[in-house]
Amino acid sequence: MIFKPLNVDKWSRKPYFEHYFNHVRCTFSVTANLDISYLYAAVKNKGIKLYPALIYMITTVVNRHHEYRTCLDSEGKLGYWDSMSPSFTVFHDDDKTFSTIWTSYCEDFGEFYRGYLEDLEKYGGAKGLHAKPNEPPYTFPISSIPWVHFTGFNLNIYTEGSFLLPIFTMGKYDRQGPQVLLPLSVQLHHAVCDGYHAGILFNELQRLADNCDDWMTPNYKRLE
Protein backbone atom coordinates (compact mmCIF):
# COMPACT_ATOMS: atom_id res chain seq x y z
CA MET A 1 0.00 0.00 0.00
CA ILE A 2 1.08 3.56 -0.65
CA PHE A 3 1.30 6.30 1.98
CA LYS A 4 0.45 9.65 0.41
CA PRO A 5 1.90 12.67 2.28
CA LEU A 6 -0.34 15.70 2.70
CA ASN A 7 0.77 19.19 1.79
CA VAL A 8 -0.49 20.77 4.98
CA ASP A 9 -0.06 24.33 3.71
CA LYS A 10 -2.50 23.60 0.86
CA TRP A 11 -4.82 21.47 2.95
CA SER A 12 -8.22 23.07 3.60
CA ARG A 13 -8.29 21.43 7.01
CA LYS A 14 -4.98 22.96 8.14
CA PRO A 15 -6.40 25.39 10.77
CA TYR A 16 -8.61 22.67 12.26
CA PHE A 17 -5.79 20.15 12.35
CA GLU A 18 -3.41 22.61 13.99
CA HIS A 19 -6.01 23.60 16.58
CA TYR A 20 -7.11 20.08 17.55
CA PHE A 21 -3.66 18.52 17.32
CA ASN A 22 -1.36 21.25 18.63
CA HIS A 23 -3.52 23.41 20.91
CA VAL A 24 -6.59 21.51 22.10
CA ARG A 25 -5.69 17.91 21.31
CA CYS A 26 -8.81 15.78 21.61
CA THR A 27 -10.71 12.78 20.36
CA PHE A 28 -14.44 12.15 20.50
CA SER A 29 -16.68 9.12 20.31
CA VAL A 30 -20.07 8.55 18.74
CA THR A 31 -22.28 5.54 19.45
CA ALA A 32 -25.34 4.68 17.42
CA ASN A 33 -27.47 1.66 16.60
CA LEU A 34 -27.22 0.12 13.15
CA ASP A 35 -30.41 -1.50 11.95
CA ILE A 36 -29.05 -4.82 10.69
CA SER A 37 -32.43 -6.52 10.35
CA TYR A 38 -32.11 -7.29 6.64
CA LEU A 39 -28.37 -7.99 6.86
CA TYR A 40 -28.91 -10.41 9.75
CA ALA A 41 -31.55 -12.33 7.80
CA ALA A 42 -29.34 -12.38 4.70
CA VAL A 43 -26.25 -13.81 6.41
CA LYS A 44 -28.34 -16.44 8.18
CA ASN A 45 -29.96 -17.43 4.88
CA LYS A 46 -26.59 -17.69 3.11
CA GLY A 47 -24.73 -19.39 5.98
CA ILE A 48 -22.32 -16.47 6.39
CA LYS A 49 -20.80 -15.28 9.65
CA LEU A 50 -22.08 -11.87 10.74
CA TYR A 51 -18.82 -10.56 12.25
CA PRO A 52 -16.75 -10.58 9.03
CA ALA A 53 -19.67 -9.05 7.13
CA LEU A 54 -19.67 -6.14 9.57
CA ILE A 55 -15.88 -5.86 9.40
CA TYR A 56 -16.13 -5.74 5.60
CA MET A 57 -18.76 -3.00 5.75
CA ILE A 58 -16.69 -0.87 8.12
CA THR A 59 -13.53 -1.31 6.05
CA THR A 60 -15.38 -0.48 2.85
CA VAL A 61 -16.54 2.86 4.27
CA VAL A 62 -13.10 3.61 5.71
CA ASN A 63 -11.59 3.10 2.27
CA ARG A 64 -14.10 5.44 0.63
CA HIS A 65 -12.93 8.53 2.53
CA HIS A 66 -9.34 9.61 3.12
CA GLU A 67 -10.35 11.37 6.36
CA TYR A 68 -10.65 7.95 8.02
CA ARG A 69 -7.23 6.91 6.67
CA THR A 70 -5.30 10.02 7.67
CA CYS A 71 -2.48 9.35 10.12
CA LEU A 72 1.19 9.88 10.89
CA ASP A 73 3.67 7.50 9.31
CA SER A 74 6.64 5.95 11.10
CA GLU A 75 8.62 9.14 10.52
CA GLY A 76 5.89 11.39 11.87
CA LYS A 77 4.80 12.68 8.47
CA LEU A 78 1.11 13.46 7.99
CA GLY A 79 -0.69 11.73 5.13
CA TYR A 80 -3.07 8.91 4.33
CA TRP A 81 -2.90 5.36 3.06
CA ASP A 82 -4.41 4.68 -0.34
CA SER A 83 -6.10 1.60 1.17
CA MET A 84 -6.38 0.11 4.64
CA SER A 85 -7.13 -3.33 6.07
CA PRO A 86 -8.88 -4.26 9.32
CA SER A 87 -7.21 -5.54 12.47
CA PHE A 88 -9.92 -7.21 14.54
CA THR A 89 -10.24 -9.03 17.84
CA VAL A 90 -11.10 -12.69 18.42
CA PHE A 91 -12.11 -14.05 21.82
CA HIS A 92 -10.66 -17.14 23.51
CA ASP A 93 -13.42 -18.74 25.56
CA ASP A 94 -11.12 -21.08 27.48
CA ASP A 95 -9.15 -18.36 29.28
CA LYS A 96 -11.33 -15.30 28.51
CA THR A 97 -8.56 -13.43 26.69
CA PHE A 98 -8.51 -11.99 23.21
CA SER A 99 -6.10 -11.69 20.32
CA THR A 100 -5.96 -9.53 17.21
CA ILE A 101 -5.89 -10.81 13.65
CA TRP A 102 -5.59 -8.76 10.48
CA THR A 103 -6.98 -9.69 7.08
CA SER A 104 -6.12 -7.98 3.82
CA TYR A 105 -9.04 -5.98 2.47
CA CYS A 106 -10.56 -6.78 -0.91
CA GLU A 107 -13.48 -4.94 -2.48
CA ASP A 108 -14.94 -8.28 -3.50
CA PHE A 109 -16.67 -9.57 -0.39
CA GLY A 110 -16.28 -13.21 -1.39
CA GLU A 111 -12.50 -12.84 -1.58
CA PHE A 112 -12.36 -10.93 1.69
CA TYR A 113 -14.57 -13.52 3.40
CA ARG A 114 -12.35 -16.38 2.25
CA GLY A 115 -9.32 -14.52 3.54
CA TYR A 116 -11.03 -13.98 6.88
CA LEU A 117 -11.90 -17.68 7.21
CA GLU A 118 -8.36 -18.72 6.31
CA ASP A 119 -6.86 -16.33 8.86
CA LEU A 120 -9.32 -17.45 11.51
CA GLU A 121 -8.53 -21.11 10.91
CA LYS A 122 -4.77 -20.52 10.99
CA TYR A 123 -4.51 -17.95 13.79
CA GLY A 124 -7.83 -18.06 15.68
CA GLY A 125 -6.47 -20.40 18.35
CA ALA A 126 -3.17 -18.59 18.82
CA LYS A 127 -2.81 -16.81 22.15
CA GLY A 128 -1.25 -13.45 22.83
CA LEU A 129 -2.21 -9.94 21.89
CA HIS A 130 -1.14 -10.30 18.25
CA ALA A 131 -2.10 -13.72 16.92
CA LYS A 132 -1.19 -13.09 13.28
CA PRO A 133 2.37 -11.79 12.87
CA ASN A 134 3.74 -9.11 10.58
CA GLU A 135 0.81 -6.73 10.85
CA PRO A 136 1.38 -3.96 8.30
CA PRO A 137 1.20 -0.26 9.19
CA TYR A 138 -1.92 0.27 7.05
CA THR A 139 -4.39 -1.37 9.44
CA PHE A 140 -6.99 0.12 11.78
CA PRO A 141 -8.62 -1.48 14.86
CA ILE A 142 -12.04 -3.10 15.17
CA SER A 143 -13.19 -4.87 18.33
CA SER A 144 -16.37 -6.40 19.67
CA ILE A 145 -18.09 -6.59 23.05
CA PRO A 146 -20.82 -9.12 22.12
CA TRP A 147 -22.07 -9.47 25.71
CA VAL A 148 -23.47 -5.94 26.12
CA HIS A 149 -25.98 -3.98 24.07
CA PHE A 150 -24.40 -0.70 25.14
CA THR A 151 -25.78 2.78 24.53
CA GLY A 152 -22.42 4.49 24.85
CA PHE A 153 -18.77 3.53 24.76
CA ASN A 154 -15.65 5.63 25.24
CA LEU A 155 -11.97 4.81 25.06
CA ASN A 156 -9.53 6.67 27.30
CA ILE A 157 -6.13 6.46 25.64
CA TYR A 158 -3.38 7.94 27.78
CA THR A 159 -0.67 8.60 25.21
CA GLU A 160 0.51 11.71 23.41
CA GLY A 161 -2.78 11.68 21.52
CA SER A 162 -1.27 11.33 18.06
CA PHE A 163 -3.22 8.23 16.98
CA LEU A 164 -5.43 9.70 14.27
CA LEU A 165 -7.18 6.62 12.86
CA PRO A 166 -10.74 5.64 13.82
CA ILE A 167 -11.25 2.92 16.44
CA PHE A 168 -14.42 0.84 16.11
CA THR A 169 -16.19 -1.16 18.83
CA MET A 170 -19.29 -3.28 18.22
CA GLY A 171 -21.73 -4.35 20.91
CA LYS A 172 -24.32 -7.09 21.28
CA TYR A 173 -27.14 -6.97 18.77
CA ASP A 174 -30.64 -6.85 20.22
CA ARG A 175 -34.06 -7.66 18.83
CA GLN A 176 -36.57 -4.85 19.31
CA GLY A 177 -39.80 -5.94 17.69
CA PRO A 178 -39.12 -6.63 14.02
CA GLN A 179 -35.75 -4.85 14.17
CA VAL A 180 -32.30 -6.21 14.93
CA LEU A 181 -30.17 -3.37 16.28
CA LEU A 182 -26.40 -3.43 16.68
CA PRO A 183 -24.65 -0.72 18.74
CA LEU A 184 -21.49 0.57 17.13
CA SER A 185 -19.09 3.07 18.63
CA VAL A 186 -16.35 4.91 16.77
CA GLN A 187 -13.58 6.93 18.36
CA LEU A 188 -12.38 9.73 16.07
CA HIS A 189 -9.60 12.29 16.36
CA HIS A 190 -10.96 15.81 16.04
CA ALA A 191 -7.83 16.90 14.19
CA VAL A 192 -8.91 14.93 11.11
CA CYS A 193 -12.65 14.29 11.59
CA ASP A 194 -15.66 16.29 12.74
CA GLY A 195 -19.24 15.39 13.56
CA TYR A 196 -20.03 15.57 9.84
CA HIS A 197 -17.60 12.73 9.14
CA ALA A 198 -19.14 10.65 11.92
CA GLY A 199 -22.54 11.17 10.31
CA ILE A 200 -21.25 10.13 6.89
CA LEU A 201 -19.75 7.00 8.43
CA PHE A 202 -22.94 5.79 10.09
CA ASN A 203 -25.18 6.73 7.17
CA GLU A 204 -23.03 4.82 4.68
CA LEU A 205 -22.83 1.79 6.97
CA GLN A 206 -26.62 1.78 7.24
CA ARG A 207 -26.95 1.87 3.45
CA LEU A 208 -24.55 -1.05 3.10
CA ALA A 209 -26.58 -3.03 5.63
CA ASP A 210 -29.86 -2.22 3.88
CA ASN A 211 -28.45 -3.07 0.44
CA CYS A 212 -26.27 -6.04 1.33
CA ASP A 213 -27.56 -8.02 -1.67
CA ASP A 214 -25.59 -5.62 -3.86
CA TRP A 215 -22.23 -6.74 -2.44
CA MET A 216 -22.90 -10.10 -0.84
CA THR A 217 -22.58 -12.93 -3.35
CA PRO A 218 -24.49 -16.15 -2.64
CA ASN A 219 -21.82 -18.85 -2.49
CA TYR A 220 -18.69 -19.21 -0.41
CA LYS A 221 -16.13 -21.92 0.11
CA ARG A 222 -16.47 -22.99 3.72
CA LEU A 223 -13.48 -23.86 5.87
CA GLU A 224 -14.59 -26.58 8.25
Coordinates of all heavy atoms in Angstrom, one line a residue, residues 55 58-60 62-63 68-69 84-88 135 137-142 163 165-168:
I55 N -17.2 -6.3 9.6 CA -15.9 -5.9 9.4 C -15.7 -5.4 8.0 O -15.1 -4.3 7.7 CB -14.9 -7.0 9.7 CG1 -14.9 -7.3 11.2 CG2 -13.4 -6.6 9.3 CD1 -14.1 -8.5 11.6
I58 N -17.4 -1.9 7.5 CA -16.7 -0.9 8.1 C -15.5 -0.5 7.3 O -15.2 0.7 7.0 CB -16.3 -1.2 9.6 CG1 -17.5 -1.3 10.5 CG2 -15.2 -0.3 10.1 CD1 -17.2 -1.9 11.8
T59 N -14.7 -1.5 6.8 CA -13.5 -1.3 6.1 C -13.9 -0.7 4.7 O -13.1 0.2 4.2 CB -12.8 -2.6 5.9 OG1 -12.6 -3.3 7.1 CG2 -11.4 -2.4 5.3
T60 N -15.0 -1.1 4.1 CA -15.4 -0.5 2.8 C -15.6 1.0 3.0 O -15.1 1.8 2.2 CB -16.7 -1.2 2.3 OG1 -16.4 -2.5 2.1 CG2 -17.2 -0.5 1.1
V62 N -14.4 3.0 5.4 CA -13.1 3.6 5.7 C -12.3 3.9 4.4 O -11.7 4.9 4.3 CB -12.3 2.7 6.7 CG1 -10.8 3.1 6.7 CG2 -12.9 2.8 8.1
N63 N -12.4 2.9 3.5 CA -11.6 3.1 2.3 C -12.2 4.0 1.3 O -11.6 4.4 0.2 CB -11.3 1.7 1.7 CG -10.2 1.0 2.3 OD1 -9.2 1.6 2.6 ND2 -10.4 -0.3 2.6
Y68 N -10.7 9.1 7.1 CA -10.6 7.9 8.0 C -9.3 7.2 7.9 O -9.0 6.3 8.7 CB -11.8 7.0 7.8 CG -13.2 7.6 7.7 CD1 -14.1 7.2 6.7 CD2 -13.6 8.5 8.6 CE1 -15.3 7.8 6.6 CE2 -14.8 9.1 8.6 CZ -15.7 8.7 7.6 OH -17.0 9.3 7.5
R69 N -8.5 7.6 6.9 CA -7.2 6.9 6.7 C -6.1 7.8 6.9 O -4.9 7.5 6.6 CB -7.2 6.4 5.2 CG -8.2 5.2 5.0 CD -8.2 4.7 3.6 NE -9.0 5.5 2.7 CZ -8.6 6.3 1.7 NH1 -7.4 6.3 1.3 NH2 -9.5 6.9 0.9
M84 N -6.7 0.7 3.3 CA -6.4 0.1 4.6 C -7.1 -1.2 4.8 O -8.1 -1.5 4.2 CB -6.8 1.1 5.7 CG -6.1 2.4 5.7 SD -6.1 3.3 7.3 CE -4.9 2.4 8.2
S85 N -6.6 -2.0 5.7 CA -7.1 -3.3 6.1 C -7.5 -3.4 7.6 O -6.9 -2.7 8.4 CB -6.1 -4.5 5.8 OG -5.9 -4.5 4.4
P86 N -8.5 -4.2 7.9 CA -8.9 -4.3 9.3 C -8.0 -5.2 10.2 O -7.5 -6.2 9.8 CB -10.3 -4.8 9.2 CG -10.2 -5.8 8.0 CD -9.3 -5.1 7.1
S87 N -7.8 -4.7 11.4 CA -7.2 -5.5 12.5 C -8.3 -5.7 13.5 O -8.7 -4.8 14.2 CB -6.0 -4.8 13.1 OG -5.4 -5.6 14.1
F88 N -8.7 -7.0 13.7 CA -9.9 -7.2 14.5 C -9.6 -8.2 15.7 O -8.7 -9.0 15.6 CB -11.1 -7.7 13.7 CG -10.7 -8.9 12.8 CD1 -10.9 -10.2 13.3 CD2 -10.2 -8.7 11.5 CE1 -10.5 -11.3 12.5 CE2 -9.8 -9.8 10.7 CZ -10.0 -11.1 11.2
E135 N 1.9 -7.7 11.2 CA 0.8 -6.7 10.8 C 1.4 -5.5 10.2 O 2.3 -4.9 10.7 CB 0.0 -6.3 12.1 CG -1.2 -5.4 11.8 CD -2.0 -5.3 13.0 OE1 -2.2 -6.2 13.9 OE2 -2.6 -4.1 13.2
P137 N 1.6 -1.5 8.6 CA 1.2 -0.3 9.2 C -0.1 0.3 8.7 O -0.7 1.2 9.3 CB 2.4 0.7 8.8 CG 2.9 0.1 7.5 CD 2.7 -1.4 7.7
Y138 N -0.7 -0.3 7.6 CA -1.9 0.3 7.1 C -3.1 -0.5 7.5 O -4.0 -0.8 6.8 CB -1.9 0.3 5.5 CG -1.4 -1.1 4.9 CD1 -2.3 -2.1 4.7 CD2 0.0 -1.2 4.6 CE1 -1.8 -3.3 4.1 CE2 0.4 -2.4 4.0 CZ -0.5 -3.4 3.8 OH -0.1 -4.6 3.3
T139 N -3.2 -0.8 8.8 CA -4.4 -1.4 9.4 C -5.0 -0.4 10.4 O -4.4 0.5 10.9 CB -4.1 -2.7 10.2 OG1 -3.1 -2.4 11.2 CG2 -3.5 -3.7 9.2
F140 N -6.3 -0.6 10.8 CA -7.0 0.1 11.8 C -7.8 -0.9 12.6 O -8.1 -1.9 12.2 CB -7.9 1.2 11.1 CG -9.1 0.6 10.4 CD1 -10.3 0.4 11.0 CD2 -9.0 0.1 9.1 CE1 -11.4 -0.2 10.4 CE2 -10.0 -0.5 8.4 CZ -11.2 -0.6 9.1
P141 N -8.1 -0.5 13.9 CA -8.6 -1.5 14.9 C -10.1 -1.6 14.9 O -10.8 -0.5 14.9 CB -8.1 -1.0 16.2 CG -7.9 0.5 16.0 CD -7.6 0.7 14.6
I142 N -10.6 -2.8 15.0 CA -12.0 -3.1 15.2 C -12.1 -4.1 16.3 O -11.4 -5.1 16.3 CB -12.7 -3.7 13.9 CG1 -12.6 -2.7 12.7 CG2 -14.1 -4.1 14.2 CD1 -13.1 -3.3 11.4
F163 N -2.6 9.3 17.8 CA -3.2 8.2 17.0 C -4.5 8.8 16.3 O -5.4 9.1 17.0 CB -3.6 7.0 17.9 CG -4.1 5.8 17.1 CD1 -3.2 5.0 16.5 CD2 -5.4 5.6 16.9 CE1 -3.7 3.8 15.8 CE2 -5.9 4.5 16.2 CZ -5.0 3.6 15.7
L165 N -6.3 7.5 13.5 CA -7.2 6.6 12.9 C -8.4 6.3 13.7 O -8.4 6.4 14.9 CB -6.5 5.3 12.5 CG -5.3 5.4 11.5 CD1 -4.6 4.0 11.5 CD2 -5.8 5.8 10.2
P166 N -9.5 6.0 13.1 CA -10.7 5.6 13.8 C -10.6 4.3 14.5 O -9.8 3.4 14.1 CB -11.8 5.6 12.7 CG -11.1 5.2 11.5 CD -9.7 5.9 11.6
I167 N -11.2 4.2 15.7 CA -11.3 2.9 16.4 C -12.7 2.5 16.6 O -13.5 3.3 17.1 CB -10.6 3.1 17.8 CG1 -9.2 3.6 17.7 CG2 -10.6 1.8 18.6 CD1 -8.5 4.0 19.0
F168 N -13.0 1.3 16.1 CA -14.4 0.8 16.1 C -14.6 -0.2 17.2 O -13.8 -1.1 17.4 CB -14.8 0.2 14.7 CG -14.8 1.3 13.6 CD1 -13.6 1.5 12.9 CD2 -15.9 1.9 13.3 CE1 -13.6 2.4 11.9 CE2 -15.9 2.9 12.2 CZ -14.7 3.1 11.5

